[in-house]
Amino acid sequence: METRRLGRLGHDSSVLIYGAASLGGVDQDRADASIQEALDAGINHFDVAADYGDAELRLGPRMPEIRDRIFLATKTGRRTAEEAWAEINRSLERLQTDHVDLIQMHAVCDLENLDLVTGKGGSLEAAIRAKEEGLVRAIGITGHTDQAPAVHTEALRRFDFDSVLTPLNYRLSTDPQYAADYAALVDAVKASDAALMTIKMIARRNWREGEEKTYDTWYRPFDEQRYVTAATAWLLNGHPEITGLATAGETRLLRQMVVAERERADLTPEAAAAILGEVQDYTSPFVDIPI
């Protein structure tokens, strides 16, 4: 699997980042199988969060064996320094490790939350303390709404975050405002040599009212290999600024994404966009976010 430099952190990260949200509601056997599938595919960057149900607990038992083989990132969604400090330490216990490579301020999707995180007594203070004490190596920020790129650009003005995790897919890129906000974020990331990672690459649309939710994702994902491969090719082949993309929060979709990463070389971004343009119900996932 291709690896890319993770900004100034220097780690050669696999372009697929294991999205451990997929482990939040599964048993240990299913978790172990999925983790092994990722490792076998060459994924060396794992991303989890304290808010992902039991995901940290599912990853923890594997850490004694694989900790030195992977870049490990988690997130805190708490907004005060006191709460975030407690959660960071709880995450270390659940993950069965004495440090993580990256702690991320989770779900910072609007300026109100950015103010809470970066203000006096905010969770960023806990992250800085954790870095000073050797519990984390780096500090990042994440978000998952159509405002996220603009908010993350402002975040980089306020603090020198080591990484940004923000949404991007072909459909979002066709919205002029979103495209402009994303372009401004890319400029800010390049100026600071931060790592830029993305989410929601295979989001197809929201689940419809009454529709059976056949996957654990809060959105209806692409699951046909043709479209998963096109979405991957469009993102990775056309956006060299991206250091990696998080796999979907569903263990059953990992295989398609691994196959897509291998097959994408044959698709130009333009050809991939044409394939995705065939999909009649392809919309922004941020119409109605149930979280």
Side-chain angles (χ1 to χ4, degrees):
M1 182 174 294
E2 182 189 354
T3 60
R4 295 183 181 179
R5 174 178 170 271
L6 196 65
R8 61 175 178 260
L9 297 179
H11 182 261
D12 290 327
S13 283
S14 52
V15 290
L16 293 188
I17 298 166
Y18 185 81
S22 61
L23 305 181
V26 305
D27 61 26
Q28 194 64 49
D29 286 344
R30 182 171 164 186
D32 288 342
S34 184
I35 293 166
Q36 192 59 51
E37 182 181 7
L39 294 168
D40 291 345
I43 294 175
N44 67 4
H45 185 149
F46 282 62
D47 182 86
V48 68
D51 287 336
Y52 291 165
D54 289 338
E56 290 180 330
L57 292 173
R58 300 285 80 79
L59 274 176
R62 297 300 303 272
M63 283 305 116
E65 172 195 354
I66 70 171
R67 182 66 189 91
D68 61 351
R69 298 164 52 191
I70 67 168
F71 184 94
L72 179 61
T74 192
K75 311 180 189 81
T76 176
R78 309 289 73 77
R79 295 303 186 235
T80 70
E82 181 178 1
E83 292 173 323
W85 176 252
E87 187 161 77
I88 291 168
N89 281 274
R90 177 173 173 262
S91 289
L92 294 175
E93 293 177 3
R94 285 156 59 99
L95 288 166
Q96 299 184 34
T97 184
D98 62 359
H99 76 285
V100 293
D101 297 297
L102 177 66
I103 184 68
Q104 297 159 106
M105 307 294 95
H106 192 194
V108 184
C109 306
D110 52 43
L111 291 177
E112 180 181 0
N113 273 277
L114 182 61
D115 288 343
L116 292 174
V117 166
T118 60
K120 182 175 176 55
S123 55
L124 181 57
E125 293 181 1
I128 293 170
R129 176 185 173 188
K131 185 176 181 180
E132 292 172 346
E133 296 190 13
L135 303 183
V136 308
R137 287 184 51 224
I139 302 171
I141 191 166
T142 82
H144 43 69
T145 68
D146 52 6
Q147 300 177 55
V151 173
H152 294 162
T153 300
E154 173 61 24
L156 288 170
R157 294 191 188 102
R158 300 186 186 187
F159 180 77
D160 197 16
F161 287 100
D162 297 295
S163 71
V164 173
L165 181 65
T166 210
L168 185 66
N169 61 36
Y170 171 66
R171 179 55 65 212
L172 290 171
S173 77
T174 64
D175 178 88
Q177 185 61 58
Y178 198 92
D181 289 344
Y182 177 77
L185 175 60
V186 170
D187 288 343
V189 164
K190 287 181 176 179
S192 65
D193 196 23
L196 178 59
M197 301 168 283
T198 64
I199 54 175
K200 302 300 176 279
M201 187 267 293
I202 63 168
R204 180 172 187 153
R205 58 170 170 78
N206 293 112
W207 294 109
R208 293 171 176 146
E209 186 174 354
E211 180 179 15
E212 180 185 2
K213 295 183 178 180
T214 51
Y215 295 104
D216 291 336
T217 47
W218 60 262
Y219 53 85
R220 168 72 166 88
F222 285 119
D223 55 3
E224 307 95 325
Q225 191 63 57
R226 171 178 172 81
Y227 298 130
V228 175
T229 298
T232 305
W234 178 85
L235 195 72
L236 290 178
N237 296 353
H239 292 274
E241 75 277 3
I242 294 171
T243 62
L245 60 94
T247 60
E250 166 60 69
T251 59
R252 291 172 294 162
L253 294 170
L254 179 61
R255 180 184 63 81
Q256 285 97 320
M257 298 184 80
V258 169
V259 169
E261 195 279 328
R262 293 172 181 164
E263 292 181 342
R264 67 186 168 89
D266 296 329
L267 274 180
T268 65
E270 294 76 17
I275 291 171
L276 294 169
E278 301 170 358
V279 184
Q280 297 300 310
D281 62 347
Y282 188 17
T283 60
S284 167
F286 305 126
V287 176
D288 180 23
I289 306 177
I291 54 176

